[in-house]
Amino acid sequence: MIDPRILRSEPEALAASLQRRGIELDIDSLIALDVRRRNERVAAEELRAEQKNAGKSISQAQGHERDAAIARAGELSEAYKTALATADALDAEFNEIWASLPNVVDETAADGTEEEDAEELRRWGEPEDGDFLDHLELGEKHGFLDVQRAAKVSGSRFGFILGPLVRLEFALVNYAMDRLEPHGFVPVVPPVLVRDHALFGTGFFPGDRDQVYALADDDLYLVGTSEVSLAAMHADEILDKDDLPLRYAGFSTCFRRESGTYGKDTRGIFRVHQFDKVEMFSFVHPDTARDEHDFLLAREEELVQGLGIPYRVMNIAAGDLGSSAAKKYDIEAWFPGQGRYREITSTSNTTDYQSRRLKIRFRDDDGNRLVYTLNGTAIAVGRWLIALVENYQEPDGTIVIPEALRDYVGFETIG
RNA sequence: GGAGAGGUGGCCGAGCGGUCGAAGGCGUUCGCCUGCUAAGCGAAUAGGGGGUUAAAGCUCCCUCGAGGGUUCAAAUCCCUCCCUCUCCGCCA
């Protein structure tokens, strides 16, 4: 949720932001609606004040005077109810539009509206070309991946991860936690079933409702990322300024319906309905949010570099940002099996978009202010496993475990 | 799943139709006092949204788990839901 005051203070900034995202909106009529709803609210509140005063006089009045006062208060009460209904209806109308608006884009986000418009910031490592097996072929060869049987059990876009690849998964998770905890990230295993307010609060509802698994019988939803649980963890709280930044590293399974992706990335476990992920999440002072964003990106690069996987960093285009993000960096790793760079992390500065919805504030010297929230992938396990096995395959198909993970897995090669 | 008890401000806790956004305590902040510390004295101290203002301020409305209802008037009465605790059952 954007600060509605932007409509009064700098509507042209909102217009510019929406334009960069490629969204059409009649801002003038929205401004008019905002004025109307506030006027109606004031009118209703004035009636309410009158009614309350009338009510107070009742307790002091006697006899006929009292009867008359009650009648008068009754009239005011009716008038107030009518005015309140009008004001509420206008608010609802306004809020429905307002809640659906995406965050104001950061001026340094890349221009454009498509994935291809992302700006490449830098590259690291030497991508290897040549004859590489992709992860599915490697999985079949070594028996650590089974999508056939997963389809039998659960349908398409699922996988069994087996044997050494499971060890590698746990190694990756521990590797990440070991490197994040010294930076103040508190490890968390959060709930993966959440209420709708958590999804609304993080900006996934109403926009991305079709991407979320719902458990209708229980009014619960499966999270697509632990960002949802981690953000909502401090909902309705007023944090101590001295506690900022608050950093968490959440490990959870993530569930995504992947609707609208038919035929896209159907091979192996690159794009599946369920995967595990370590996610970084920060609650920070507004003034430090940009630094924190760079900090999260630095943590991601550190993790990828530690494993020696070639990658590039992308500044995502304004029109390709999620609704809550003002700015987003993706790291794309080199996947020899696909012969191209693909996303393995994503970090977003969501400014106060989520904290306004979730009411997460901190005590400042002159009042309470909304915190800024940021999130970033530490390890998206599935894709990182793929990147590892594809990049570390030898000509004979053997997979070498990178130095940084050997102590965790307890072996040096697969195959 | 069954039975019971509760959810009030940063925390504890009173209030159970009007004078209550709410006693009292703790905590915190500021000031005073005390040659240190502790104690003592005085004052301030919930959140949100409007109006007005250059700002300070003034003012109005909403919020006592959430949402409905009754009433001229609801923290207080009624309904639904959520959550917490205790006991029993089940269970990794």
Short mmCIF file of all heavy atoms in Angstrom, two decimals, chain B residues 4 7 12 14-15 32 34-35 41 44 49-52 58-59 61 64-67 77-78 92:
data_model
loop_
_atom_site.label_atom_id
_atom_site.label_comp_id
_atom_site.label_asym_id
_atom_site.label_seq_id
_atom_site.Cartn_x
_atom_site.Cartn_y
_atom_site.Cartn_z
P G B 4 -18.59 -26.31 29.33
OP1 G B 4 -19.89 -25.95 29.92
OP2 G B 4 -18.33 -26.05 27.89
"O5'" G B 4 -17.43 -25.61 30.16
"C5'" G B 4 -17.52 -25.50 31.57
"C4'" G B 4 -16.19 -25.10 32.15
"O4'" G B 4 -15.12 -25.84 31.50
"C3'" G B 4 -15.76 -23.66 31.95
"O3'" G B 4 -16.42 -22.76 32.82
"C2'" G B 4 -14.27 -23.76 32.24
"O2'" G B 4 -14.02 -23.89 33.62
"C1'" G B 4 -13.93 -25.08 31.55
N9 G B 4 -13.47 -24.83 30.16
C8 G B 4 -14.12 -25.07 28.98
N7 G B 4 -13.42 -24.71 27.94
C5 G B 4 -12.24 -24.20 28.47
C6 G B 4 -11.09 -23.66 27.82
O6 G B 4 -10.88 -23.52 26.61
N1 G B 4 -10.12 -23.27 28.74
C2 G B 4 -10.25 -23.37 30.10
N2 G B 4 -9.21 -22.93 30.81
N3 G B 4 -11.30 -23.87 30.71
C4 G B 4 -12.25 -24.27 29.84
P G B 7 -10.34 -11.18 30.29
OP1 G B 7 -10.36 -10.02 31.19
OP2 G B 7 -11.32 -11.23 29.18
"O5'" G B 7 -8.89 -11.39 29.70
"C5'" G B 7 -8.16 -10.31 29.11
"C4'" G B 7 -7.63 -10.75 27.76
"O4'" G B 7 -8.36 -11.88 27.28
"C3'" G B 7 -7.73 -9.67 26.68
"O3'" G B 7 -6.42 -9.23 26.33
"C2'" G B 7 -8.40 -10.33 25.50
"O2'" G B 7 -7.63 -10.20 24.33
"C1'" G B 7 -8.43 -11.81 25.89
N9 G B 7 -9.63 -12.51 25.42
C8 G B 7 -10.72 -12.89 26.16
N7 G B 7 -11.62 -13.55 25.47
C5 G B 7 -11.08 -13.62 24.19
C6 G B 7 -11.58 -14.23 23.02
O6 G B 7 -12.63 -14.83 22.87
N1 G B 7 -10.72 -14.07 21.95
C2 G B 7 -9.52 -13.41 22.01
N2 G B 7 -8.82 -13.35 20.87
N3 G B 7 -9.02 -12.84 23.09
C4 G B 7 -9.86 -13.00 24.15
P C B 12 0.91 -8.30 30.19
OP1 C B 12 0.96 -9.76 30.03
OP2 C B 12 -0.02 -7.50 29.40
"O5'" C B 12 0.67 -7.97 31.73
"C5'" C B 12 1.27 -8.76 32.75
"C4'" C B 12 0.97 -8.19 34.11
"O4'" C B 12 1.33 -6.78 34.13
"C3'" C B 12 -0.49 -8.17 34.53
"O3'" C B 12 -0.93 -9.43 35.01
"C2'" C B 12 -0.46 -7.14 35.66
"O2'" C B 12 0.09 -7.69 36.84
"C1'" C B 12 0.52 -6.11 35.09
N1 C B 12 -0.18 -4.98 34.44
C2 C B 12 -0.79 -4.02 35.26
O2 C B 12 -0.74 -4.17 36.49
N3 C B 12 -1.43 -2.97 34.70
C4 C B 12 -1.47 -2.85 33.38
N4 C B 12 -2.10 -1.81 32.86
C5 C B 12 -0.86 -3.83 32.51
C6 C B 12 -0.23 -4.86 33.08
P A B 14 -7.88 -7.98 37.79
OP1 A B 14 -8.35 -8.80 38.94
OP2 A B 14 -7.99 -8.53 36.42
"O5'" A B 14 -8.59 -6.58 37.84
"C5'" A B 14 -9.14 -6.13 39.05
"C4'" A B 14 -9.58 -4.69 38.99
"O4'" A B 14 -8.75 -3.91 38.09
"C3'" A B 14 -10.97 -4.41 38.44
"O3'" A B 14 -11.98 -4.76 39.35
"C2'" A B 14 -10.89 -2.90 38.25
"O2'" A B 14 -11.10 -2.20 39.46
"C1'" A B 14 -9.44 -2.70 37.81
N9 A B 14 -9.35 -2.39 36.38
C8 A B 14 -8.87 -3.16 35.35
N7 A B 14 -8.90 -2.56 34.18
C5 A B 14 -9.46 -1.32 34.46
C6 A B 14 -9.76 -0.21 33.66
N6 A B 14 -9.55 -0.17 32.34
N1 A B 14 -10.31 0.88 34.25
C2 A B 14 -10.52 0.85 35.57
N3 A B 14 -10.26 -0.14 36.44
C4 A B 14 -9.73 -1.19 35.81
P G B 15 -13.37 -5.36 38.87
OP1 G B 15 -14.23 -5.56 40.05
OP2 G B 15 -13.07 -6.49 37.97
"O5'" G B 15 -13.98 -4.18 38.01
"C5'" G B 15 -14.41 -2.98 38.66
"C4'" G B 15 -14.63 -1.90 37.63
"O4'" G B 15 -13.50 -1.83 36.74
"C3'" G B 15 -15.83 -2.14 36.72
"O3'" G B 15 -16.95 -1.49 37.29
"C2'" G B 15 -15.44 -1.47 35.41
"O2'" G B 15 -15.91 -0.16 35.31
"C1'" G B 15 -13.91 -1.46 35.45
N9 G B 15 -13.30 -2.37 34.48
C8 G B 15 -13.01 -3.70 34.67
N7 G B 15 -12.45 -4.25 33.62
C5 G B 15 -12.36 -3.23 32.69
C6 G B 15 -11.85 -3.22 31.36
O6 G B 15 -11.35 -4.15 30.75
N1 G B 15 -11.96 -1.98 30.77
C2 G B 15 -12.50 -0.86 31.38
N2 G B 15 -12.52 0.24 30.65
N3 G B 15 -12.98 -0.86 32.61
C4 G B 15 -12.88 -2.06 33.20
P C B 32 16.60 20.05 37.90
OP1 C B 32 17.32 21.34 37.94
OP2 C B 32 17.33 18.80 37.58
"O5'" C B 32 15.84 19.84 39.28
"C5'" C B 32 15.07 20.89 39.86
"C4'" C B 32 14.42 20.43 41.14
"O4'" C B 32 13.58 19.26 40.86
"C3'" C B 32 15.37 19.92 42.21
"O3'" C B 32 15.96 20.99 42.94
"C2'" C B 32 14.45 19.07 43.07
"O2'" C B 32 13.64 19.87 43.91
"C1'" C B 32 13.56 18.42 42.00
N1 C B 32 14.03 17.08 41.62
C2 C B 32 13.74 16.01 42.49
O2 C B 32 13.13 16.24 43.53
N3 C B 32 14.17 14.77 42.18
C4 C B 32 14.84 14.57 41.04
N4 C B 32 15.23 13.32 40.76
C5 C B 32 15.15 15.63 40.14
C6 C B 32 14.72 16.86 40.47
P U B 34 19.80 18.72 48.22
OP1 U B 34 20.16 19.61 49.33
OP2 U B 34 20.33 18.99 46.87
"O5'" U B 34 20.17 17.24 48.62
"C5'" U B 34 19.68 16.66 49.83
"C4'" U B 34 19.92 15.17 49.82
"O4'" U B 34 19.16 14.56 48.74
"C3'" U B 34 21.35 14.74 49.52
"O3'" U B 34 22.17 14.82 50.66
"C2'" U B 34 21.15 13.31 49.04
"O2'" U B 34 20.93 12.43 50.11
"C1'" U B 34 19.87 13.45 48.22
N1 U B 34 20.15 13.70 46.79
C2 U B 34 20.40 12.59 46.00
O2 U B 34 20.39 11.46 46.41
N3 U B 34 20.66 12.89 44.68
C4 U B 34 20.71 14.13 44.10
O4 U B 34 20.96 14.23 42.91
C5 U B 34 20.45 15.21 45.00
C6 U B 34 20.19 14.97 46.28
P G B 35 23.67 15.36 50.51
OP1 G B 35 24.54 14.53 51.39
OP2 G B 35 23.61 16.81 50.66
"O5'" G B 35 23.98 15.08 48.96
"C5'" G B 35 24.49 13.87 48.52
"C4'" G B 35 25.79 14.12 47.76
"O4'" G B 35 26.58 15.08 48.49
"C3'" G B 35 26.67 12.89 47.64
"O3'" G B 35 26.48 12.20 46.42
"C2'" G B 35 28.08 13.43 47.67
"O2'" G B 35 28.54 13.80 46.37
"C1'" G B 35 27.92 14.70 48.49
N9 G B 35 28.36 14.50 49.87
C8 G B 35 27.82 13.65 50.80
N7 G B 35 28.42 13.73 51.95
C5 G B 35 29.42 14.68 51.76
C6 G B 35 30.38 15.16 52.65
O6 G B 35 30.56 14.86 53.83
N1 G B 35 31.20 16.11 52.04
C2 G B 35 31.08 16.53 50.75
N2 G B 35 31.95 17.43 50.34
N3 G B 35 30.17 16.09 49.90
C4 G B 35 29.39 15.17 50.48
P C B 41 7.25 9.38 47.31
OP1 C B 41 6.01 9.19 48.09
OP2 C B 41 7.53 8.53 46.13
"O5'" C B 41 7.36 10.89 46.86
"C5'" C B 41 7.26 11.94 47.83
"C4'" C B 41 7.53 13.27 47.16
"O4'" C B 41 8.93 13.35 46.75
"C3'" C B 41 6.77 13.52 45.88
"O3'" C B 41 5.43 13.90 46.10
"C2'" C B 41 7.61 14.61 45.23
"O2'" C B 41 7.38 15.86 45.85
"C1'" C B 41 9.02 14.14 45.58
N1 C B 41 9.60 13.31 44.49
C2 C B 41 10.15 13.98 43.38
O2 C B 41 10.14 15.22 43.35
N3 C B 41 10.69 13.25 42.37
C4 C B 41 10.69 11.91 42.44
N4 C B 41 11.23 11.25 41.43
C5 C B 41 10.13 11.22 43.55
C6 C B 41 9.60 11.96 44.55
P A B 44 0.55 15.53 34.57
OP1 A B 44 -0.62 16.27 34.06
OP2 A B 44 0.36 14.41 35.51
"O5'" A B 44 1.39 14.99 33.33
"C5'" A B 44 1.74 15.88 32.27
"C4'" A B 44 2.72 15.21 31.33
"O4'" A B 44 3.89 14.79 32.08
"C3'" A B 44 2.22 13.91 30.70
"O3'" A B 44 1.38 14.15 29.59
"C2'" A B 44 3.53 13.24 30.30
"O2'" A B 44 4.07 13.83 29.14
"C1'" A B 44 4.41 13.60 31.50
N9 A B 44 4.41 12.53 32.51
C8 A B 44 3.70 12.46 33.69
N7 A B 44 3.92 11.37 34.37
C5 A B 44 4.85 10.67 33.60
C6 A B 44 5.49 9.44 33.78
N6 A B 44 5.30 8.65 34.84
N1 A B 44 6.35 9.03 32.82
C2 A B 44 6.54 9.82 31.76
N3 A B 44 5.99 11.01 31.48
C4 A B 44 5.15 11.38 32.45
P G B 49 -2.38 7.36 10.53
OP1 G B 49 -1.66 7.07 9.27
OP2 G B 49 -1.81 8.30 11.51
"O5'" G B 49 -3.84 7.84 10.18
"C5'" G B 49 -4.69 7.04 9.38
"C4'" G B 49 -6.06 7.66 9.32
"O4'" G B 49 -6.66 7.65 10.62
"C3'" G B 49 -6.08 9.11 8.93
"O3'" G B 49 -5.94 9.28 7.53
"C2'" G B 49 -7.45 9.56 9.45
"O2'" G B 49 -8.48 9.10 8.60
"C1'" G B 49 -7.51 8.77 10.76
N9 G B 49 -7.04 9.59 11.89
C8 G B 49 -5.80 9.55 12.49
N7 G B 49 -5.69 10.41 13.47
C5 G B 49 -6.90 11.04 13.51
C6 G B 49 -7.37 12.08 14.37
O6 G B 49 -6.78 12.64 15.29
N1 G B 49 -8.69 12.44 14.06
C2 G B 49 -9.46 11.89 13.07
N2 G B 49 -10.68 12.37 12.92
N3 G B 49 -9.03 10.93 12.27
C4 G B 49 -7.75 10.56 12.55
P G B 50 -5.57 10.69 6.96
OP1 G B 50 -5.31 10.51 5.52
OP2 G B 50 -4.57 11.36 7.83
"O5'" G B 50 -6.94 11.45 7.12
"C5'" G B 50 -6.94 12.82 7.34
"C4'" G B 50 -8.36 13.25 7.63
"O4'" G B 50 -8.75 12.75 8.93
"C3'" G B 50 -8.50 14.76 7.74
"O3'" G B 50 -8.72 15.30 6.45
"C2'" G B 50 -9.70 14.91 8.66
"O2'" G B 50 -10.91 14.67 7.97
"C1'" G B 50 -9.45 13.76 9.65
N9 G B 50 -8.61 14.17 10.77
C8 G B 50 -7.36 13.70 11.09
N7 G B 50 -6.85 14.25 12.16
C5 G B 50 -7.83 15.14 12.58
C6 G B 50 -7.86 16.02 13.69
O6 G B 50 -7.00 16.19 14.55
N1 G B 50 -9.04 16.76 13.73
C2 G B 50 -10.07 16.65 12.84
N2 G B 50 -11.12 17.42 13.05
N3 G B 50 -10.06 15.82 11.79
C4 G B 50 -8.91 15.11 11.73
P G B 51 -7.95 16.59 6.02
OP1 G B 51 -8.30 16.85 4.60
OP2 G B 51 -6.53 16.46 6.41
"O5'" G B 51 -8.62 17.70 6.93
"C5'" G B 51 -10.01 17.97 6.79
"C4'" G B 51 -10.44 18.98 7.83
"O4'" G B 51 -10.35 18.36 9.14
"C3'" G B 51 -9.56 20.20 7.94
"O3'" G B 51 -9.86 21.16 6.95
"C2'" G B 51 -9.88 20.69 9.35
"O2'" G B 51 -11.14 21.35 9.39
"C1'" G B 51 -10.00 19.36 10.09
N9 G B 51 -8.74 18.97 10.72
C8 G B 51 -7.85 18.01 10.29
N7 G B 51 -6.81 17.88 11.07
C5 G B 51 -7.02 18.82 12.08
C6 G B 51 -6.24 19.13 13.22
O6 G B 51 -5.16 18.64 13.56
N1 G B 51 -6.82 20.14 13.98
C2 G B 51 -8.01 20.77 13.68
N2 G B 51 -8.39 21.71 14.53
N3 G B 51 -8.75 20.47 12.64
C4 G B 51 -8.20 19.49 11.88
P U B 52 -8.68 21.95 6.24
OP1 U B 52 -9.29 22.78 5.17
OP2 U B 52 -7.58 21.01 5.91
"O5'" U B 52 -8.18 22.90 7.40
"C5'" U B 52 -9.04 23.91 7.93
"C4'" U B 52 -8.40 24.54 9.14
"O4'" U B 52 -8.28 23.53 10.19
"C3'" U B 52 -6.97 25.01 8.95
"O3'" U B 52 -6.91 26.27 8.30
"C2'" U B 52 -6.47 25.06 10.39
"O2'" U B 52 -6.96 26.19 11.06
"C1'" U B 52 -7.12 23.80 10.97
N1 U B 52 -6.23 22.63 10.88
C2 U B 52 -5.32 22.46 11.91
O2 U B 52 -5.26 23.21 12.86
N3 U B 52 -4.50 21.38 11.78
C4 U B 52 -4.48 20.46 10.75
O4 U B 52 -3.68 19.53 10.79
C5 U B 52 -5.44 20.71 9.71
C6 U B 52 -6.26 21.77 9.81
P C B 58 -2.70 21.64 22.70
OP1 C B 58 -2.93 21.84 24.15
OP2 C B 58 -2.37 20.29 22.17
"O5'" C B 58 -3.97 22.19 21.91
"C5'" C B 58 -4.56 23.43 22.26
"C4'" C B 58 -5.62 23.80 21.25
"O4'" C B 58 -5.02 23.92 19.93
"C3'" C B 58 -6.72 22.77 21.05
"O3'" C B 58 -7.70 22.83 22.06
"C2'" C B 58 -7.25 23.15 19.68
"O2'" C B 58 -8.08 24.30 19.75
"C1'" C B 58 -5.96 23.52 18.94
N1 C B 58 -5.41 22.37 18.20
C2 C B 58 -5.99 22.04 16.96
O2 C B 58 -6.92 22.73 16.53
N3 C B 58 -5.48 21.00 16.26
C4 C B 58 -4.47 20.29 16.74
N4 C B 58 -4.01 19.27 16.02
C5 C B 58 -3.87 20.60 18.00
C6 C B 58 -4.37 21.63 18.70
P U B 59 -8.38 21.49 22.58
OP1 U B 59 -9.28 21.82 23.70
OP2 U B 59 -7.33 20.45 22.76
"O5'" U B 59 -9.26 21.07 21.32
"C5'" U B 59 -10.32 21.88 20.88
"C4'" U B 59 -10.86 21.38 19.56
"O4'" U B 59 -9.81 21.43 18.56
"C3'" U B 59 -11.30 19.93 19.55
"O3'" U B 59 -12.59 19.75 20.11
"C2'" U B 59 -11.25 19.61 18.06
"O2'" U B 59 -12.36 20.16 17.38
"C1'" U B 59 -9.99 20.37 17.63
N1 U B 59 -8.80 19.49 17.65
C2 U B 59 -8.59 18.67 16.56
O2 U B 59 -9.33 18.65 15.59
N3 U B 59 -7.47 17.87 16.63
C4 U B 59 -6.57 17.81 17.66
O4 U B 59 -5.62 17.05 17.58
C5 U B 59 -6.86 18.68 18.77
C6 U B 59 -7.94 19.47 18.73
P C B 61 -15.91 13.73 18.96
OP1 C B 61 -17.29 13.57 19.44
OP2 C B 61 -14.79 13.70 19.91
"O5'" C B 61 -15.62 12.60 17.86
"C5'" C B 61 -16.50 12.42 16.76
"C4'" C B 61 -15.91 11.44 15.78
"O4'" C B 61 -14.66 11.97 15.26
"C3'" C B 61 -15.51 10.10 16.38
"O3'" C B 61 -16.62 9.23 16.53
"C2'" C B 61 -14.51 9.61 15.34
"O2'" C B 61 -15.17 9.15 14.17
"C1'" C B 61 -13.77 10.90 15.00
N1 C B 61 -12.55 11.07 15.81
C2 C B 61 -11.40 10.35 15.46
O2 C B 61 -11.45 9.59 14.49
N3 C B 61 -10.27 10.51 16.19
C4 C B 61 -10.26 11.34 17.23
N4 C B 61 -9.13 11.46 17.91
C5 C B 61 -11.41 12.07 17.62
C6 C B 61 -12.53 11.91 16.89
P C B 64 -12.67 -1.41 20.98
OP1 C B 64 -13.21 -2.80 20.87
OP2 C B 64 -13.55 -0.30 21.35
"O5'" C B 64 -11.40 -1.40 21.95
"C5'" C B 64 -10.38 -2.41 21.90
"C4'" C B 64 -10.04 -2.84 23.30
"O4'" C B 64 -10.10 -1.68 24.15
"C3'" C B 64 -11.02 -3.86 23.88
"O3'" C B 64 -10.29 -5.04 24.14
"C2'" C B 64 -11.58 -3.25 25.14
"O2'" C B 64 -11.40 -4.11 26.24
"C1'" C B 64 -10.71 -2.02 25.37
N1 C B 64 -11.42 -0.85 25.89
C2 C B 64 -11.57 -0.75 27.27
O2 C B 64 -11.14 -1.65 27.98
N3 C B 64 -12.18 0.35 27.79
C4 C B 64 -12.63 1.30 26.99
N4 C B 64 -13.20 2.34 27.56
C5 C B 64 -12.50 1.21 25.57
C6 C B 64 -11.88 0.13 25.07
P G B 65 -10.94 -6.47 24.09
OP1 G B 65 -12.40 -6.48 23.89
OP2 G B 65 -10.34 -7.10 25.28
"O5'" G B 65 -10.26 -7.07 22.79
"C5'" G B 65 -8.88 -6.84 22.52
"C4'" G B 65 -8.49 -7.59 21.27
"O4'" G B 65 -8.50 -9.02 21.55
"C3'" G B 65 -9.45 -7.42 20.11
"O3'" G B 65 -9.14 -6.26 19.36
"C2'" G B 65 -9.23 -8.70 19.32
"O2'" G B 65 -8.04 -8.62 18.56
"C1'" G B 65 -9.03 -9.71 20.44
N9 G B 65 -10.28 -10.34 20.86
C8 G B 65 -10.83 -10.32 22.11
N7 G B 65 -11.95 -10.98 22.19
C5 G B 65 -12.16 -11.48 20.90
C6 G B 65 -13.20 -12.28 20.38
O6 G B 65 -14.19 -12.72 20.95
N1 G B 65 -13.01 -12.55 19.03
C2 G B 65 -11.95 -12.11 18.28
N2 G B 65 -11.95 -12.47 17.00
N3 G B 65 -10.96 -11.36 18.75
C4 G B 65 -11.13 -11.09 20.07
P A B 66 -10.33 -5.50 18.61
OP1 A B 66 -9.74 -4.27 18.02
OP2 A B 66 -11.49 -5.40 19.51
"O5'" A B 66 -10.70 -6.50 17.42
"C5'" A B 66 -9.85 -6.65 16.30
"C4'" A B 66 -10.55 -7.47 15.25
"O4'" A B 66 -10.78 -8.80 15.78
"C3'" A B 66 -11.94 -6.99 14.85
"O3'" A B 66 -11.88 -5.96 13.88
"C2'" A B 66 -12.58 -8.25 14.32
"O2'" A B 66 -12.12 -8.56 13.03
"C1'" A B 66 -12.03 -9.29 15.30
N9 A B 66 -12.92 -9.48 16.45
C8 A B 66 -12.78 -8.97 17.72
N7 A B 66 -13.75 -9.34 18.54
C5 A B 66 -14.57 -10.12 17.75
C6 A B 66 -15.77 -10.82 18.03
N6 A B 66 -16.37 -10.83 19.22
N1 A B 66 -16.34 -11.50 17.02
C2 A B 66 -15.76 -11.50 15.81
N3 A B 66 -14.62 -10.90 15.43
C4 A B 66 -14.08 -10.22 16.46
P G B 67 -13.05 -4.88 13.83
OP1 G B 67 -12.65 -3.88 12.82
OP2 G B 67 -13.38 -4.44 15.21
"O5'" G B 67 -14.28 -5.70 13.26
"C5'" G B 67 -14.22 -6.29 11.97
"C4'" G B 67 -15.42 -7.15 11.74
"O4'" G B 67 -15.41 -8.26 12.66
"C3'" G B 67 -16.76 -6.48 12.01
"O3'" G B 67 -17.15 -5.63 10.96
"C2'" G B 67 -17.67 -7.69 12.17
"O2'" G B 67 -17.98 -8.28 10.94
"C1'" G B 67 -16.75 -8.63 12.96
N9 G B 67 -16.97 -8.48 14.41
C8 G B 67 -16.25 -7.72 15.29
N7 G B 67 -16.72 -7.79 16.51
C5 G B 67 -17.80 -8.65 16.43
C6 G B 67 -18.71 -9.12 17.41
O6 G B 67 -18.74 -8.86 18.61
N1 G B 67 -19.67 -9.98 16.87
C2 G B 67 -19.75 -10.34 15.55
N2 G B 67 -20.73 -11.16 15.22
N3 G B 67 -18.90 -9.92 14.62
C4 G B 67 -17.97 -9.08 15.12
P C B 77 -21.14 -7.62 29.93
OP1 C B 77 -21.25 -8.36 31.21
OP2 C B 77 -20.17 -8.07 28.90
"O5'" C B 77 -22.58 -7.57 29.24
"C5'" C B 77 -23.77 -7.61 30.01
"C4'" C B 77 -24.96 -7.71 29.10
"O4'" C B 77 -25.19 -6.43 28.45
"C3'" C B 77 -24.79 -8.68 27.93
"O3'" C B 77 -25.05 -10.02 28.32
"C2'" C B 77 -25.81 -8.16 26.93
"O2'" C B 77 -27.12 -8.54 27.27
"C1'" C B 77 -25.67 -6.64 27.13
N1 C B 77 -24.73 -6.01 26.19
C2 C B 77 -25.09 -5.90 24.83
O2 C B 77 -26.19 -6.34 24.47
N3 C B 77 -24.23 -5.33 23.97
C4 C B 77 -23.06 -4.87 24.39
N4 C B 77 -22.25 -4.30 23.51
C5 C B 77 -22.66 -4.98 25.75
C6 C B 77 -23.51 -5.55 26.61
P C B 78 -24.32 -11.21 27.55
OP1 C B 78 -24.62 -12.46 28.29
OP2 C B 78 -22.92 -10.83 27.27
"O5'" C B 78 -25.10 -11.24 26.16
"C5'" C B 78 -26.48 -11.63 26.11
"C4'" C B 78 -26.93 -11.64 24.67
"O4'" C B 78 -26.87 -10.30 24.12
"C3'" C B 78 -26.04 -12.45 23.72
"O3'" C B 78 -26.35 -13.83 23.78
"C2'" C B 78 -26.36 -11.83 22.37
"O2'" C B 78 -27.61 -12.29 21.88
"C1'" C B 78 -26.50 -10.36 22.75
N1 C B 78 -25.25 -9.60 22.57
C2 C B 78 -24.86 -9.23 21.27
O2 C B 78 -25.59 -9.56 20.32
N3 C B 78 -23.73 -8.54 21.08
C4 C B 78 -22.97 -8.21 22.13
N4 C B 78 -21.85 -7.51 21.90
C5 C B 78 -23.32 -8.58 23.47
C6 C B 78 -24.46 -9.27 23.63
P A B 92 1.93 -41.01 16.45
OP1 A B 92 2.05 -42.17 15.55
OP2 A B 92 2.03 -41.12 17.89
"O5'" A B 92 2.98 -39.91 15.96
"C5'" A B 92 3.30 -39.80 14.59
"C4'" A B 92 4.40 -38.78 14.42
"O4'" A B 92 3.84 -37.46 14.53
"C3'" A B 92 5.48 -38.91 15.48
"O3'" A B 92 6.70 -39.30 14.87
"C2'" A B 92 5.59 -37.51 16.11
"O2'" A B 92 6.89 -37.02 16.07
"C1'" A B 92 4.78 -36.64 15.18
N9 A B 92 4.08 -35.55 15.88
C8 A B 92 3.27 -35.59 16.96
N7 A B 92 2.84 -34.40 17.35
C5 A B 92 3.44 -33.54 16.45
C6 A B 92 3.40 -32.14 16.31
N6 A B 92 2.69 -31.34 17.11
N1 A B 92 4.11 -31.59 15.31
C2 A B 92 4.82 -32.39 14.51
N3 A B 92 4.94 -33.71 14.54
C4 A B 92 4.21 -34.22 15.55
#
